[in-house]
Amino acid sequence: MTTAVVTGLGITAPNGLGTEDYWKATLAGESGLGPVTRFDAAQYPSTVAGEVPGFVAEEHIPSRLMPQTDHMTRLALAAADWALTDAGLDVGEFPEYGIGVVTSASGGAVEFGQRELQNLWSKGKEYVSAYQSFAWFYAVNTGQISIRHKLRGPSGVLLTEQAGGIDAIGHARRHIRKGFSAVVAGGVDAALCPWGWVPQIASGLMSTVGDPARAFLPFSADAAGYVPGEGGAILVVEDAGSAGARDAGNVYGEVAGYAATLDPAPGTGRPPGLRRAAENALADAGITAADVDVVFADASGVPELDRAEAQALTELFGPGGVPVTAPKTMTGRLLAGGAALDAATALLALRDGVVPPTVNVAGPAPEHTIDLVTEAREADLRTALVLARGHGGFNAALVLRRAG
């Protein structure tokens, strides 16, 4: 069966703009969490977020696109540019319909939508941008990336919230196996505005701790919910034969296994679907739990969800059976961008032979019998398992294998 490999990465994250800046900060344990500055959050119970630093859109986005794009889409366009450049991919050398785009989304470009609705309510319909017709849309990142780079292959968008980045990569591999040369895939999100903030508060899952160093502590006895962030990662997923034929400079690793499940309805007594997703992804990759060298956990920071994930990991690998890490403690949960960023981070970990740390957490709560990595740890890494859960019961698992 056709092998899908990752040949390009583009990252926009709260602790680093660009892949190598992000990776350097992550290995050093540098957090990007802090008080919200993109809007006045003082009136809300949650006031901490992960904001992408130093991003000046005009330096990355053509002026003609500025009026028709949201902050989210500008970050996605920049990440896609970097990923294609990193892959050394000359789109003109591929068949017209040979490269597609698949991204993940949660609520779309909510900041753009909020601004235009405010104009409608306060000023009237004459003050609403014509671009509101599509700029808010959950498929807008896919569309804008496709248009800008003339990528006319199979394209789409996955709406499974935090699990979406893995689902997009899995969908990209499906296209590769159908004979397409490459797919630009992943997720970038940005919902740091009142319209994106209030629904998350209403979920009851967000942390209300005001200290950025104590607000997001997955698997800790002091876990009190998650902190949201913005950003994510775009990856170039390519047919291994195509990558070899053009002598691609970077082959970060293979997309070896993928699976997705949906949690059963509450009250049925059936267990959550995360463990089943992990088992199915391992089976898809043709490996067993013993072959996994590191797990990038979903790490929600919500005590009951942490408990369910730790239990699933213990059942699958045994107590302390595999190093588990959650570098998202430095970025927050990025909604549709989170799992794609974890996948990119896992590929960098495989490349450099180091497990990035879970910061601010001294160790797991006694009830969680997992080997939680709290300081960067060198290791011989060949295979990584990335887990993600999206609000609404979505579960996704991705197996990545080191190149070579």
Side-chain angles (χ1 to χ4, degrees):
M1 189 171 290
T2 303
T3 299
V5 296
V6 177
T7 55
L9 298 178
I11 293 175
T12 58
N15 64 336
L17 191 58
T19 298
E20 295 306 327
D21 283 350
Y22 161 76
W23 184 231
K24 180 180 178 181
T26 297
L27 290 182
E30 296 175 3
S31 175
L33 303 187
V36 174
T37 65
R38 290 190 59 80
F39 68 98
D40 183 4
Q43 61 185 309
Y44 300 106
S46 299
T47 59
V48 176
E51 300 179 349
V52 174
F55 181 74
V56 180
E58 290 80 3
E59 296 177 357
H60 305 279
I61 308 300
S63 59
R64 64 180 177 81
L65 289 180
M66 292 298 292
Q68 59 179 278
T69 51
D70 178 83
H71 178 60
M72 174 192 78
T73 302
R74 295 166 187 169
L75 289 172
L77 284 168
D81 287 352
W82 296 336
L84 286 165
T85 299
D86 188 38
L89 207 65
D90 184 347
V91 174
E93 296 180 353
F94 287 79
E96 182 178 6
Y97 299 98
I99 303 176
V101 182
V102 181
T103 67
S104 55
S106 57
V110 293
E111 187 175 18
F112 193 107
Q114 175 180 318
R115 184 186 67 237
E116 298 308 317
L117 285 177
Q118 285 176 327
N119 288 341
L120 175 65
W121 296 332
S122 63
K123 299 178 181 179
K125 63 182 185 297
E126 296 83 3
Y127 294 88
V128 177
S129 169
Y131 296 122
Q132 168 69 0
S133 60
F134 65 82
W136 69 272
F137 193 42
Y138 54 80
V140 67
N141 288 355
T142 289
Q144 289 285 16
I145 293 169
S146 173
I147 292 168
R148 185 173 186 187
H149 296 284
K150 297 181 174 60
L151 307 178
R152 298 173 179 172
S155 298
V157 58
L158 283 302
L159 286 90
T160 50
E161 207 249 351
Q162 183 82 12
I166 287 178
D167 290 332
I169 295 168
H171 203 62
R173 187 185 67 160
R174 186 175 295 121
H175 288 314
I176 298 299
R177 287 181 168 178
K178 288 180 179 179
F180 294 93
S181 302
V183 180
V184 176
V188 174
D189 213 337
L192 302 185
C193 66
W195 202 13
W197 201 250
V198 171
Q200 295 186 74
I201 291 174
S203 73
L205 304 178
M206 274 179 67
S207 172
T208 58
V209 177
D211 179 357
R214 304 301 299 165
F216 185 30
L217 302 173
F219 300 115
S220 167
D222 297 322
Y226 76 91
V227 167
E230 62 182 9
I234 299 295
L235 297 74
V236 175
V237 182
E238 189 173 355
D239 169 67
S242 167
R246 67 180 185 85
D247 195 22
N250 295 320
V251 177
Y252 289 96
E254 175 192 349
V255 182
Y258 161 71
T261 61
L262 189 65
D263 286 340
T268 62
R270 295 167 57 199
L274 184 63
R275 176 183 172 182
R276 185 160 48 91
E279 291 173 334
N280 290 348
L282 295 178
D284 184 43
I287 63 174
T288 68
D291 298 310
V292 175
D293 300 307
V294 62
V295 173
F296 284 73
D298 175 67
S300 76
V302 178
E304 57 267 31
L305 295 176
D306 285 350
R307 188 176 304 115
E309 183 173 21
Q311 180 179 343
L313 291 173
T314 299
E315 291 171 350
L316 189 58
F317 296 100
V322 64
V324 176
T325 188
K328 58 171 60 71
T329 48
M330 291 172 263
T331 65
R333 289 176 69 83
L334 308 185
L335 305 182
L341 181 59
D342 272 349
T345 309
L347 289 165
L348 294 168
L350 294 175
R351 182 194 69 179
D352 293 348
V354 58
V355 181
T358 305
V359 304
N360 297 326
V361 179
E367 64 178 311
H368 304 322
T369 54
I370 58 174
D371 176 15
L372 188 66
V373 177
T374 57
E375 295 183 0
R377 181 188 299 179
E378 293 186 0
D380 181 18
L381 304 177
R382 292 197 59 82
T383 304
L385 174 65
V386 185
L387 301 177
R389 291 173 293 187
H391 188 62
F394 299 104
N395 305 285
L398 188 71
V399 176
L400 298 169
R401 184 178 293 130
R402 188 177 73 198

